[in-house]
């Protein structure tokens, strides 16, 4: 089959879950996901604030009933979604928030936007995980949507370190 990047794996996995639209705020940590979504035919709607992206996603999924994803960059980009994530929890809105993160082996070494966003997202979503390897991206996306749409729907969060998005693995 050949090699595929983590960003492209995200695009394919999201399309496989029926995602047609993504509400985002562009940032360097997450660009590979955008390229992967574009390759998979997912429409990318870039907003001017992360909370606006989340509120747009809430409105879209409530109005359409379709699965939706929000993608924000590392650090403050993730944290800016907190009020809307809490609202999605209160409303029982199933959606997936993907947040960028610094390169995995550079944590706590002072890189730009290195913050403990996973612990914050654990407090305002029903399920939150950090991706641990490129090859597991499709598995994590599937798990996230199962959690978002179970008996008690709500928002879920995946943290994606940049190096895993850029790494290539065998597509099979």
């Amino acid at each position: 089959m050949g090699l595929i990047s983590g960003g492209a794996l995200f695009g394919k996995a999201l399309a496989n879950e029926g995602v047609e639209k993504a509400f985002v705020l562009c940032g360097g940590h997450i660009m590979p996901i955008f390229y992967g979504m574009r390759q998979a035919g997912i429409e990318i709607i870039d907003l001017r604030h992360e909370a606006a992206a989340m509120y747009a996603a809430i409105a879209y999924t409530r109005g359409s009933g379709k699965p939706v994803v929000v993608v924000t960059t590392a650090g403050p980009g993730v944290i800016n979604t907190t009020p809307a994530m809490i609202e999605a929890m209160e409303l029982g809105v199933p959606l997936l928030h993907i947040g960028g993160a610094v390169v995995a082996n550079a944590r706590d070494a002072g890189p730009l936007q290195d913050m403990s966003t996973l612990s914050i997202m654990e407090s305002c979503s029903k399920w939150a995980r950090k991706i641990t390897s490129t090859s597991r991206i499709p598995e994590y996306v599937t798990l996230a949507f199962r959690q978002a749409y179970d008996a008690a729907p709500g928002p879920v969060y995946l943290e994606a370190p940049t190096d895993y998005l850029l790494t290539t693995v065998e597509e099979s």
Side-chain angles (χ1 to χ4, degrees):
M1 289 189 104
L3 295 176
I4 187 169
S5 73
L9 280 174
F10 255 115
K12 286 186 172 217
L14 293 169
N16 190 49
E17 294 295 333
V19 173
E20 298 172 358
K21 294 184 188 307
F23 296 90
V24 309
L25 191 126
C26 189
H29 290 89
I30 51 175
M31 289 307 294
I33 298 173
F34 295 164
Y35 301 141
M37 289 189 303
R38 179 184 282 163
Q39 285 176 328
I42 296 170
E43 181 182 1
I44 298 169
I45 302 163
D46 194 9
L47 288 109
R48 297 180 83 157
H49 193 278
E50 295 86 356
M54 185 66 69
Y55 285 121
I58 290 169
Y60 171 78
T61 198
R62 289 185 80 196
S64 71
K66 295 180 181 181
V68 68
V69 65
V70 174
V71 186
T72 60
T73 198
V78 171
I79 293 168
N80 283 342
T81 67
T82 304
M85 286 288 283
I86 293 168
E87 187 152 342
M89 279 285 288
E90 291 295 318
L91 296 171
V93 176
L95 59 81
L96 169 57
H97 176 196
I98 301 168
V102 300
V103 173
N105 68 2
R107 280 304 296 238
D108 303 320
L112 179 67
Q113 299 175 328
D114 181 13
M115 301 172 77
S116 183
T117 53
L118 182 62
S119 61
I120 293 168
M121 288 294 109
E122 286 173 335
S123 70
C124 61
S125 63
K126 60 179 288 193
W127 184 86
R129 297 291 187 275
K130 176 181 275 206
I131 292 173
T132 58
S133 74
T134 302
S135 61
R136 292 189 68 193
I137 288 171
E139 174 189 354
Y140 275 108
V141 170
T142 298
L143 285 169
F145 275 102
R146 297 309 160 259
Q147 291 292 326
Y149 281 92
D150 74 1
V156 297
Y157 175 75
L158 282 178
E159 188 165 281
T162 303
D163 49 334
Y164 299 148
L165 303 177
L166 296 168
T167 300
T168 56
V169 294
E170 275 295 325
E171 188 171 359
S172 60

